[in-house]
Amino acid sequence: MRQAEKIRLVVLISGRGSNLQAILDQAASGELPVEIAAVISNRPGVLGLDRARRGGVLAVELDHTQFADRPSFEAALIDAIDRHQPNLVILAGFMRVLTAHFTAHYRGRLLNIHPSLLPKFRGLHTHERAIAEGETEHGASIHFVTAELDGGPVIVQARVAIHPGDDPDRLAARVLAQEHRLYPQAIRWFAEGRLRLDGERVLFDGQPLDAPLRMENLSPRN
Ligand code: GAR
């Protein structure tokens, strides 16, 4: 791995936080050059907040139901994030739709993980829909967040086969195992300065990607 300065990271969650846990583990072991400044959940009392506290990370509850509307919630969220001056903000199972104002504020330093091979299956219930549509493969994507929901430029994907007779829970579990490899990888690249958003394109090592990187094709040195 290349030497990299630690970047300051803020993680937004809404629930279980298993992706957060993968990142906490790699940050603690030194594999990931990040300092996790805060974990913020729009839902109080969720497991991901406990995971943050157990990892010695500031856990912040910002209950969106306590705000009159989306803009006032987002103003408070921006305030809660920006007090930590993060280099990178990531959505890790954060289940609120974000306005164009929010996504513009963090443009180029906001990543999301989505459980499908984007642009397929934006939105919810991706595993059920992939099975129902007779897909033979499925997976997860990391993308830069732009104003379009699940529509920003994709950086890297991991694929899993859909087996005959698969059910959504089993498929979701296999995809999730890949997610836990995918997010740390993308964050490491960002921390190493290898990843940039240039207009609507992703630059990787300074070169535009004409297709998302594929996790299964990466050499261990990546
Ligand atoms: C993950 O599968 C993530 O890809 C998905 O929520 C789950 C969160 O799990 N995100 C979305 O659907 C975003 N549209 P986790 O809380 O255990 O990391």
Side-chain angles (χ1 to χ4, degrees):
M1 196 204 306
R2 297 179 187 191
Q3 289 297 318
E5 292 289 307
K6 281 193 180 180
I7 60 161
R8 292 175 66 74
L9 178 68
V10 169
V11 185
L12 306 188
I13 63 166
S14 297
R16 176 179 58 184
S18 71
N19 277 289
L20 166 67
Q21 188 68 59
I23 295 159
L24 284 165
D25 291 347
Q26 289 210 13
S29 71
E31 289 165 90
L32 203 51
V34 297
E35 180 197 334
I36 307 175
V39 171
I40 305 173
S41 173
N42 67 303
R43 292 195 181 280
V46 295
L47 177 58
L49 289 167
D50 293 334
R51 295 182 194 266
R53 288 187 200 102
R54 261 185 266 136
V57 171
L58 177 69
V60 180
E61 293 181 358
L62 196 68
D63 182 353
H64 67 276
T65 67
Q66 300 301 306
F67 293 84
D69 52 23
R70 202 177 292 278
S72 55
F73 166 66
E74 284 190 358
L77 183 57
I78 288 173
D79 187 51
I81 295 169
D82 285 358
R83 73 184 56 180
H84 301 290
Q85 300 188 305
N87 306 95
L88 179 65
V89 179
I90 66 161
L91 311 178
F94 183 73
M95 304 306 278
R96 296 297 295 167
V97 170
L98 296 165
T99 67
H101 171 70
F102 186 95
T103 58
H105 185 79
Y106 295 106
R107 190 173 177 87
R109 55 190 180 112
L110 182 60
L111 302 182
N112 182 40
I113 188 161
H114 184 74
S116 78
L117 296 173
L118 290 171
K120 288 184 175 171
F121 307 114
R122 295 177 183 181
L124 300 176
H125 310 300
T126 58
H127 311 300
E128 288 88 331
R129 287 158 59 208
I131 292 172
E133 303 250 327
E135 298 283 339
T136 55
E137 64 172 12
H138 186 46
S141 306
I142 307 286
H143 66 96
F144 278 106
V145 177
T146 59
E148 194 184 347
L149 182 68
D150 299 330
V154 178
I155 300 161
V156 59
Q157 296 182 320
R159 309 173 113 74
V160 303
I162 299 183
H163 307 316
D166 241 339
D167 71 58
D169 289 347
R170 279 206 306 255
L171 178 58
R174 295 204 305 280
V175 171
L176 194 63
Q178 293 302 316
E179 292 185 37
H180 297 162
R181 302 175 55 220
L182 206 52
Y183 229 158
Q185 177 66 272
I187 294 167
R188 187 174 304 112
W189 286 332
F190 191 93
E192 292 172 345
R194 302 179 66 186
L195 211 50
R196 273 206 310 120
L197 180 64
D198 175 40
E200 290 298 315
R201 306 182 304 181
V202 176
L203 299 186
F204 183 70
D205 288 341
Q207 299 300 315
L209 292 183
D210 46 22
L213 296 162
R214 295 174 64 141
M215 193 75 185
E216 63 276 14
N217 291 346
L218 299 174
S219 75
R221 292 169 54 96
N222 262 303

